[in-house]
Amino acid sequence: MADIYLDALDVHRALAVACKRAGSQKSFAESHNLSTAYVNDVLHGRKDAGDGILDALGLMRVVRYKRINPKTKQAAS
């Protein structure tokens, strides 16, 4: 199975859906031992999703890099 990579907006959407399914941000936070303020901060873009939220969503952070052509500063083929 091919890896599927998500961006920050996808994570935000997944968190919003998870909170809705839980009934509220507070319910989601409590069920995953997170602070409601932290969940709210992530939903409002004030903080990035950390390990606690990613774990609760069944996700993990992956950092990727791509080579560039040093002359053109464009991605190499």
Side-chain angles (χ1 to χ4, degrees), residues 6-65:
L6 307 176
D7 61 20
L9 185 56
D10 294 322
V11 174
H12 178 272
R13 287 180 184 139
L15 178 57
V17 168
C19 288
K20 186 171 184 173
R21 286 186 181 148
S24 67
Q25 292 175 25
K26 182 178 180 180
S27 294
F28 175 83
E30 288 176 350
S31 67
H32 296 286
N33 202 27
L34 302 166
S35 78
T36 305
Y38 171 55
V39 170
N40 185 272
D41 282 345
V42 172
L43 283 170
H44 287 89
R46 292 184 289 265
K47 292 188 177 179
D48 292 331
D51 291 341
I53 286 178
L54 295 176
D55 288 346
L57 297 175
L59 301 172
M60 67 182 233
R61 184 179 318 277
V62 176
V63 178
R64 296 173 32 162
Y65 299 91

